[in-house]
Amino acid sequence: MLPVYYMARKLTLVRHAKSSWDNADLRDFDRPLNRRGFKHASAMGNRLANNNYSVDVIISSPAVRAIITAELIAGEIGFDKNNILCKPEIYAAGLHTLLNVITNIDDKHEHAMLVGHNPGCTCLYNYLCDACVDNVPTCSVVQIAFNTHTWQGTSEHSGKIIDFDFPKKTNK
């Protein structure tokens, strides 16, 4: 018998880890992670690995800080970083662009990870989960389940929060 809330699709939404502002001449797109960002991305990936986390596809913004976050998490969970899909539209994306990325995920992937930026991550989280948070912190990992058999079935308030974790969360 299936649980009351059958999870046909699962999205893990990740906001990139802390970026470095050491070089003021770098374009925003080119900013890497700072030391704390590297530490947090690895730690969050390790938390996922310790919970036997797996994913079918990782889709990331191509911005340096996002792709490094995606690669560090991928390494911890045993996902081949060469298989990370970069989608330029995720960089500086708003809600509707991020929804478009999600609804166009190949349905062969039941569990997808999306690595992006704020304010888009916060808007997407609030929209999908009927939540009201002001800010999804850097390097947050939000797992959301959807009772749908296609990614096109994801819509406003259709997600159920499975977990919301972030580096400074004290109960982990």
Side-chain angles (χ1 to χ4, degrees):
M1 186 166 136
L2 293 174
V4 174
Y5 197 90
Y6 177 64
M7 295 178 269
R9 301 278 169 232
K10 189 161 62 169
L11 174 70
T12 300
L13 178 62
V14 178
R15 182 178 170 200
H16 68 77
K18 287 278 186 193
S19 59
S20 173
W21 291 84
D22 289 346
N23 184 346
D25 294 331
L26 280 181
R27 295 182 311 147
D28 179 71
F29 185 90
D30 296 324
R31 283 190 289 117
L33 297 181
N34 65 18
R35 184 168 44 234
R36 185 170 54 160
F38 275 96
K39 178 182 169 187
H40 286 171
S42 293
M44 294 306 293
N46 185 264
R47 287 183 193 179
L48 291 169
N50 287 338
N51 289 309
N52 298 313
Y53 175 90
S54 65
V55 67
D56 300 321
V57 64
I58 297 176
I59 306 166
S60 178
S61 159
V64 172
R65 61 194 179 274
I67 197 67
I68 292 172
T69 300
E71 289 174 350
L72 289 168
I73 290 174
E76 292 291 336
I77 64 171
F79 186 91
D80 184 348
K81 68 179 183 178
N82 295 314
N83 291 330
I84 296 170
L85 303 177
C86 284
K87 298 272 186 178
E89 60 268 32
I90 296 172
Y91 177 70
L95 173 62
H96 295 293
T97 300
L98 293 174
L99 282 172
N100 189 51
V101 169
I102 293 166
T103 58
N104 282 293
I105 294 172
D106 191 321
D107 285 331
K108 71 180 180 184
H109 303 300
E110 291 183 3
H111 186 178
M113 178 183 285
L114 178 73
V115 182
H117 310 267
N118 252 2
C121 285
T122 298
C123 290
L124 184 63
Y125 170 73
N126 286 330
Y127 178 84
L128 292 174
C129 300
D130 192 20
C132 188
V133 297
D134 293 331
N135 181 48
V136 170
T138 54
C139 212
S140 290
V141 175
V142 181
Q143 295 179 55
I144 307 167
F146 300 93
N147 189 9
T148 179
H149 293 285
T150 68
W151 285 104
Q152 288 184 343
T154 57
S155 61
E156 186 173 15
H157 307 163
S158 65
K160 178 181 183 223
I161 301 164
I162 299 171
D163 192 28
F164 187 159
D165 196 7
F166 48 94
K168 292 184 178 182
K169 191 170 181 180
T170 57
N171 64 350
K172 284 284 178 178

